[in-house]
Amino acid sequence: MKAEMDKIVSLSDEENIPELQKYLSTLTDDRLINTITNSALKGKKVGTIIKGIFKGSPPSSTAGANRRLLLYQHCIPLCESGDLQTEVAADIIGLLMLETHTLSGPSLATLASLFVDAIKVGKMSSGKSLELFPTVLTALAACENLFQYWCILHFKELQFVVEKVLRMFNKLDLQEIPPLVYQLLLLSAKGCKKQVLDGIVGYFKEQDARQEEEQKHGESLDLEVQSIPQDQLRHVEGTAILHIVFAIRLDHELAREFIKGFKTSYADLCPFSVALLLSVARIQRYEEQVFELLKGAIIKSFKDEQLQQGSKLLQDLLPGHCSVAQMILDTVQNSVFGWDHVTQGLVQLGFFLMDAFGPKPGPFGKATEGSLAVARTPTQQACKLGGQVLLQGFKMHEPIRGEILEQVLNRLVTKTASPVNHFLDLFSDIVVSAPMILLESSSKVTETFDHLSCLPLATVQGLLKAVQPLLKVSMSLKDALILVLRKAMFSSQLDGRKSAVTGFLLLLKNFKVLGSLASSQCSQAISSSQIQVDVHSRYNSAANEAFCLEILSSLRRCLSQQADVRLMLYEGFFDVLRRNSQLASSIMQTLLSQLKRYYEPEQDLLPPVKLEPCITAHGDQVYLQEPLAHLLSCTVHCLMWLQNTRQSANLNADDSDGDEEEEEGYRSDLHAVLESMTRRMIKCELEDFELDKSAEFSMGSSVGVKNNIYAVLVMGVYEVLMEYNFIKANYSKRCFEEIIELFSRYQKLSEILKEKSGKGRVPSHKTPRSLFSMGIISTLITVLFRDNTQSREEALSVLRSNGEFVRYILSVVVQKIQQLDETGHTDGPDGQNADKTFRFLCDMTSVLMWRYTNIPSVVEEGGKKEKRSSLSQLCLEGLLRIFTTCQQRYPDKMAQLLSTMETHSCSNSLISN
């Protein structure tokens, strides 16, 4: 026998297949069997010999196919005999499994019969070869014309057993189900995998449906079926999931059958099967398949739901939509019953959805989509679902909180080139819903603070806004942030310093000093009512005041930094004042002191502002150093808000005379400066600024750049002074005449800038954003178009009779709405307040619709002759932009906007009648 063994091994190693085939054909079946047996018993070269026999026995030939069948028929009983070493038997079965798919249908049927007969008579006592049986059955089931082969009887017997066991489920006690599931899974190794899996999943799907009905009606609808306690059902489901996952780890065919069953339709999904899929996803080889399957099912479900909502016919035909999102959220709720093997999959799914369907970077890295507060598209809904899964998981499962928080914060730090507003929303939701839980992981938040100076400004703003509630109850967290912000204030990077300003301003807004005046405009502030902590439980008013004054001292250093940093400060001071009015003295003194640097105190000198200190130069490059118009705008808005608030509210009894005198002092100084500035700016000619028609405005020279900067600053000053004078005018004709004087100078400079900058090869002029606030624009449009108060008629006629001024105000409306559409906010007070901006859109809609049908024909004809948009066209453009903006930014409020139009339409018809 040794000679035969050596010959087979030698020819196999040499890959001399023709000689090997020829040699094997000379061996009788008995000699071949004896050779295999002797080699197996000795444990020597049996694997090589079997491989050689397979090589020399091509399945396409009759002799080769018969020799392969002989090999199986001999090796299976040999492995079951107990005479072989365990390792040898395992190697033989492994080699046979690899070649099973090459056997013909009749050969497979013969082997299947061999197994069945052996099991019946008890010849499979060791069970070493049973691993091969499922492989044989699977290969046999894949054969075409299965009925012409012999094993139909055995499959029927197996199917009968499986069906009988599954029918027993509803008659058994709940605690008897897991052992039965285990036995069925063992049986599935022999076949009927789909039947076994469908039966198990179907049983638990039925139980979940019954539980849902009982929760709706308070009792079981079927009197013959005993009600099952929810906690017991969930624990049994968890055990069943563990059994199935264990079986899948051992039988990859079972896994493929399970996953394949959900690829065609998501209608068969249920919370139990979702939980099972998430558990299977923990097996690395199936992770990608499972998440791609769930991803497709989720998107398909959302798309179908969207189609159904938009079609009455589909609603009638398909009244009950199968929501995959709800199944996943139900799975999250069910996981609280000890489903630790599911929770990790839920975390992975949540981040998978948020990463896959989150907003994508647009031009210059800006997000192409807005907040997910109102998710409209299937993609946005899927991203929002991921956030819901993670938020609920964070609240329910202590072991995964650290991982969720760490992954969220890591994405905020690492995804600097992509929008992260969806992760900021999730982090904010975690803080608001579970602040005390989050404090347990405050060290992770503190670590994130160290990266603030390297993050995009929008990320810093969102992150710091989200952590405000935590800062009010955690001294260590607040101290860590203050330390980081102080370091960032002296960062060599501009974005780092801007981040510091952002952080300090947010702190000033949210650490309120007791005694500050209430403001109805502060509705968007983060308040203690939104979270389960007490704002003043750890910090008293005196501590807050000292803390805020210390921050203001740090912020004053920004007034010597770049224009972008100063601009952030000016844009933030107004909100700080409204939310923390006790800081008014410090803020107003700071603004007054800064404004006086650029104000000419000599009343006879023109112009009243110093432009030269507002710029800086590095070599041939000229830069803006002081955004003077924004400084003036901030000062005016703070002054007028403070004045109106003080007038409408009684001062507290404990306010000292010294405080009143101090406030009156800086208010008087500021009014004097603004009135003097108004008077002298009206007297000024453009030559006084060296900005007349002879000036150079080419962006290709440093002189042209400087003049462009000067022109934008002067135009901004004109706008701010127009707003100031309108607010204090109280419908005075003289004040309105001053406004028109200011506007005429603004318009003249604007025309020169357009003309000069357009002469180059590439037009360099871009109309700067208007510094008018939303509030003043809304008021101006209303009084220009719809105010019929008799006592105001003479004063308003000054503004209304100036067609260019009306056109200008309309163009500012369009510009503001366009800015809202593009960025979601506008410059100036309340520009970040979603409620205020939507109210602005509603107000503009009603006015523009009214004005569209009430424009004097003379004004219309003038517009046509000058080849520019008529007032009607400007109104239409504004309305179009309003609808586009509302659809993009406030889709849930579109009906409210349209109802505003309808209300005003009805009121107009009543007036006309």
Side-chain angles (χ1 to χ4, degrees):
M1 296 299 171
K2 188 176 183 304
E4 286 85 350
M5 290 169 53
D6 293 341
K7 185 69 172 176
I8 294 172
V9 170
S10 174
L11 292 172
S12 177
D13 290 343
E14 293 173 3
E15 293 293 333
N16 192 343
I17 305 304
E19 286 297 322
L20 180 59
Q21 292 179 12
K22 186 176 179 181
Y23 177 71
L24 288 174
S25 66
T26 64
L27 298 177
T28 64
D29 290 350
D30 290 340
R31 288 181 67 186
L32 189 62
I33 287 171
N34 289 336
T35 300
I36 295 171
T37 303
N38 289 334
S39 177
L41 290 173
K42 293 178 181 179
K44 294 181 179 180
K45 300 182 180 180
V46 65
T48 307
I49 291 173
I50 291 175
K51 288 179 182 178
I53 295 172
F54 279 132
K55 285 181 182 179
S57 306
S60 56
S61 69
T62 303
N66 290 338
R67 194 178 299 120
R68 284 175 175 254
L69 177 60
L70 176 67
L71 186 61
Y72 279 84
Q73 288 174 321
H74 176 66
C75 287
I76 290 171
L78 181 61
C79 290
E80 288 296 326
S81 66
D83 297 332
L84 304 184
Q85 298 176 23
T86 304
E87 295 81 3
V88 174
D91 288 343
I92 292 173
I93 295 300
L95 290 171
L96 296 180
M97 291 176 70
L98 291 174
E99 295 291 329
T100 303
H101 67 282
T102 66
L103 296 175
S104 64
S107 297
L108 289 169
T110 300
L111 291 181
S113 298
L114 186 152
F115 274 107
V116 172
D117 294 341
I119 292 170
K120 284 181 178 179
V121 298
K123 289 185 178 179
M124 289 287 178
S125 55
S126 71
K128 292 178 182 177
S129 63
L130 279 177
E131 289 181 53
L132 184 58
F133 191 25
T135 307
V136 171
L137 293 178
T138 301
L140 185 58
C143 289
E144 295 182 2
N145 303 319
L146 182 62
F147 285 95
Q148 69 180 351
Y149 301 123
W150 305 343
C151 64
I152 186 66
L153 175 63
H154 302 302
F155 271 116
K156 283 191 173 182
E157 289 177 352
L158 188 60
Q159 290 171 348
F160 174 76
V161 172
V162 170
E163 289 173 2
K164 184 175 181 180
V165 173
L166 289 172
R167 283 197 300 267
M168 293 170 56
F169 271 36
N170 285 320
K171 299 178 182 179
L172 296 173
D173 289 339
L174 192 62
Q175 300 305 322
E176 295 177 349
I177 298 298
L180 202 55
V181 167
Y182 180 74
Q183 296 299 325
L184 272 175
L185 291 169
L186 289 178
L187 190 61
S188 73
K190 318 299 188 294
C192 301
K193 290 178 171 57
K194 186 176 188 305
Q195 187 179 358
V196 169
L197 290 170
D198 288 349
I200 295 171
V201 172
Y203 168 76
F204 287 113
K205 184 177 182 179
E206 181 183 343
Q207 296 302 317
D208 285 341
R210 193 170 293 163
Q211 282 277 338
E212 188 176 344
E213 286 298 320
E214 289 178 7
Q215 289 175 0
K216 285 182 181 178
H217 299 90
E219 59 182 2
S220 177
L221 299 180
D222 190 345
L223 298 178
E224 296 182 0
V225 178
Q226 185 177 0
S227 178
I228 300 175
Q230 186 185 39
D231 58 339
Q232 290 185 27
L233 176 60
R234 300 295 174 236
H235 286 301
V236 167
E237 287 177 333
T239 307
I241 289 172
L242 287 174
H243 286 328
I244 298 173
V245 173
F246 180 74
I248 283 175
R249 287 182 184 275
L250 300 177
D251 184 357
H252 299 311
E253 287 295 330
L254 185 66
R256 279 193 283 272
E257 192 66 50
F258 173 63
I259 295 173
K260 184 173 70 175
F262 297 109
K263 284 186 176 179
T264 55
S265 171
Y266 64 81
D268 295 329
L269 282 173
C270 63
F272 176 81
S273 58
V274 169
L276 183 52
L277 281 167
L278 292 173
S279 297
V280 171
R282 296 182 66 186
I283 305 173
Q284 188 174 1
R285 67 186 298 171
Y286 303 120
E287 179 181 331
E288 184 177 353
Q289 291 183 60
V290 168
F291 287 130
E292 286 296 329
L293 186 153
L294 288 172
K295 170 184 169 182
I298 290 166
I299 285 294
K300 184 70 166 60
S301 175
F302 280 132
K303 286 181 178 178
D304 290 349
E305 186 177 1
Q306 198 174 57
L307 286 173
Q308 190 174 7
Q309 289 175 349
S311 170
K312 184 66 169 65
L313 176 63
L314 288 178
Q315 291 173 15
D316 295 337
L317 292 175
L318 305 169
H321 175 71
C322 176
S323 173
V324 176
Q326 189 56 52
M327 294 177 199
I328 292 172
L329 293 176
D330 288 344
T331 304
V332 178
Q333 295 296 324
N334 297 343
S335 67
V336 75
F337 295 97
W339 291 8
D340 295 340
H341 47 286
V342 176
T343 54
Q344 189 59 44
L346 286 170
V347 173
Q348 289 178 269
L349 177 64
F351 283 110
F352 179 80
L353 293 176
M354 295 191 77
D355 289 336
F357 299 116
K360 301 297 183 276
F364 310 106
K366 293 183 179 180
T368 55
E369 299 174 6
S371 172
L372 294 177
V374 181
R376 292 166 291 147
T377 67
T379 296
Q380 291 174 327
Q381 290 173 315
C383 181
K384 186 175 182 180
L385 174 63
Q388 291 173 318
V389 169
L390 293 171
L391 177 61
Q392 295 304 317
F394 183 91
K395 292 194 286 188
M396 292 171 131
H397 299 288
E398 190 274 334
I400 61 175
R401 285 173 188 160
E403 181 183 355
I404 292 176
L405 183 60
E406 186 172 356
Q407 288 205 44
V408 170
L409 294 176
N410 281 346
R411 280 164 170 78
L412 295 181
V413 171
T414 59
K415 289 182 175 289
T416 55
S418 302
V420 292
N421 50 307
H422 51 313
F423 289 111
L424 286 169
D425 290 343
L426 172 59
F427 180 63
S428 179
D429 289 340
I430 290 175
V431 172
V432 170
S433 62
M436 304 313 292
I437 294 176
L438 192 61
L439 283 179
E440 298 170 6
S441 304
S442 60
S443 60
K444 297 184 185 297
V445 181
T446 303
E447 291 171 10
T448 307
F449 287 163
D450 295 334
H451 300 278
L452 284 184
S453 60
C454 306
L455 298 180
L457 189 60
T459 302
V460 173
Q461 291 172 331
L463 177 62
L464 295 184
K465 185 176 180 180
V467 299
Q468 292 304 309
L470 300 180
L471 301 179
K472 296 172 181 177
V473 291
S474 173
M475 180 76 77
S476 61
L477 205 59
K478 187 193 77 169
D479 292 343
L481 177 59
I482 291 295
L483 183 61
V484 168
L485 294 179
R486 282 176 176 161
K487 289 180 180 178
M489 186 68 79
F490 300 99
S491 170
S492 60
Q493 301 296 320
L494 176 61
D495 282 350
R497 297 195 295 279
K498 290 168 73 173
S499 296
V501 174
T502 297
F504 280 136
L505 288 172
L506 278 169
L507 290 172
L508 288 177
K509 292 175 191 175
N510 292 287
F511 278 80
K512 193 170 182 179
V513 179
L514 286 180
S516 292
L517 295 173
S519 171
S520 60
Q521 296 172 313
C522 302
S523 58
Q524 72 178 125
I526 300 174
S527 65
S528 60
S529 63
Q530 293 176 279
I531 56 174
Q532 294 74 41
V533 294
D534 181 4
V535 174
H536 295 290
S537 61
R538 302 277 295 273
Y539 307 114
N540 57 35
S541 177
N544 275 354
E545 183 172 13
F547 173 63
C548 290
L549 291 175
E550 182 183 358
I551 291 176
L552 276 173
S553 177
S554 297
L555 285 175
R556 288 191 189 98
R557 298 170 186 163
C558 299
L559 297 176
S560 61
Q561 295 194 14
Q562 286 99 326
D564 285 353
V565 180
R566 302 187 195 193
L567 184 59
M568 290 190 67
L569 195 61
Y570 300 149
E571 290 178 342
F573 264 159
F574 182 71
D575 274 344
V576 170
L577 179 65
R578 290 192 305 175
R579 300 182 190 187
N580 234 341
S581 60
Q582 287 295 91
L583 301 175
S585 177
S586 296
I587 291 174
M588 298 308 294
Q589 293 286 5
T590 299
L591 291 173
L592 178 59
S593 174
Q594 186 71 0
L595 185 59
K596 283 184 175 180
R597 292 184 182 183
Y598 310 97
Y599 172 69
E600 175 53 65
E602 291 294 331
Q603 298 298 304
D604 296 332
L605 292 181
L606 298 177
V609 291
K610 305 171 185 176
L611 297 182
E612 190 172 347
C614 295
I615 63 170
T616 184
H618 295 287
D620 293 335
Q621 300 295 317
V622 179
Y623 302 98
L624 175 67
Q625 179 75 11
E626 177 63 70
L628 177 61
H630 288 83
L631 166 62
L632 189 63
S633 175
C634 174
T635 305
V636 167
H637 291 139
C638 289
L639 175 66
M640 302 312 290
W641 179 85
L642 195 60
Q643 179 171 301
N644 292 338
T645 308
R646 296 293 187 188
Q647 289 174 352
S648 61
N650 293 324
L651 292 175
N652 294 331
D654 57 354
D655 283 346
S656 64
D657 292 338
D659 291 339
E660 290 184 48
E661 290 176 4
E662 181 184 17
E663 181 178 324
E664 185 59 36
Y666 63 69
R667 281 168 53 190
S668 297
D669 287 350
L670 281 171
H671 279 300
V673 167
L674 292 167
E675 287 169 7
S676 171
M677 198 177 289
T678 298
R679 176 175 52 81
R680 288 190 281 166
M681 286 294 285
I682 290 173
K683 286 184 179 180
C684 278
E685 298 295 337
L686 293 182
E687 289 82 354
D688 295 321
F689 295 104
E690 298 181 358
L691 294 175
D692 56 1
K693 288 188 175 183
S694 63
E696 181 183 352
F697 289 94
S698 169
M699 297 300 287
S701 68
S702 58
V703 174
V705 172
K706 179 196 72 172
N707 287 339
N708 269 279
I709 294 174
Y710 282 174
V712 171
L713 290 178
V714 172
M715 289 168 66
V717 170
Y718 281 134
E719 281 194 317
V720 174
L721 291 177
M722 280 190 271
E723 178 162 351
Y724 168 74
N725 281 277
F726 183 84
I727 294 172
K728 77 178 187 66
N730 195 22
Y731 297 92
S732 159
K733 182 180 179 182
R734 183 186 62 81
C735 287
F736 283 1
E737 288 171 345
E738 289 182 344
I739 290 174
I740 294 299
E741 289 287 345
L742 290 167
F743 168 70
S744 66
R745 283 152 180 76
Y746 170 93
Q747 186 185 28
K748 185 176 180 180
L749 179 55
S750 177
E751 291 299 324
I752 291 175
L753 197 59
K754 288 179 184 177
E755 177 187 349
K756 290 285 188 176
S757 60
K759 287 185 176 180
R761 294 179 182 175
V762 179
S764 56
H765 176 69
K766 182 180 179 182
T767 304
R769 283 180 177 172
S770 171
L771 292 186
F772 275 122
S773 64
M774 280 195 315
I776 200 67
I777 284 295
S778 182
T779 303
L780 267 170
I781 283 288
T782 303
V783 299
L784 283 173
F785 291 167
R786 302 201 63 178
D787 192 331
N788 296 318
T789 308
Q790 191 67 34
S791 60
R792 300 174 180 174
E793 184 63 31
E794 183 181 2
L796 287 175
S797 65
V798 175
L799 303 179
R800 290 170 174 169
S801 61
N802 191 308
E804 293 301 322
F805 180 74
V806 175
R807 179 182 301 279
Y808 162 69
I809 295 300
L810 265 176
S811 68
V812 173
V813 170
V814 174
Q815 185 192 93
K816 291 287 182 184
I817 298 168
Q818 182 177 0
Q819 187 184 359
L820 266 177
D821 185 28
E822 293 173 352
T823 66
H825 59 82
T826 67
D827 299 323
D830 297 321
Q832 303 282 348
N833 187 321
D835 292 335
K836 296 285 184 181
T837 52
F838 178 71
R839 185 69 257 164
F840 171 73
L841 293 178
C842 289
D843 292 343
M844 292 302 97
T845 301
S846 61
V847 176
L848 294 178
M849 282 295 291
W850 183 90
R851 184 57 177 170
Y852 178 61
T853 55
N854 290 274
I855 297 177
S857 57
V858 176
V859 179
E860 285 292 322
E861 291 171 3
K864 291 176 183 176
K865 289 176 183 177
E866 296 174 26
K867 296 183 180 179
R868 53 180 180 171
S869 298
S870 65
L871 295 188
S872 291
Q873 290 170 326
L874 282 174
C875 289
L876 280 178
E877 183 182 354
L879 288 168
L880 177 61
R881 289 193 179 276
I882 287 173
F883 298 142
T884 304
T885 302
C886 190
Q887 191 174 22
Q888 171 71 16
R889 300 289 173 179
Y890 311 97
D892 57 323
K893 296 183 177 181
M894 196 67 184
Q896 185 178 341
L897 182 77
L898 295 175
S899 68
T900 302
M901 289 176 54
E902 185 177 357
T903 301
H904 283 278
S905 176
C906 293
S907 65
N908 289 340
S909 63
L910 288 174
I911 292 172
S912 62
N913 291 331

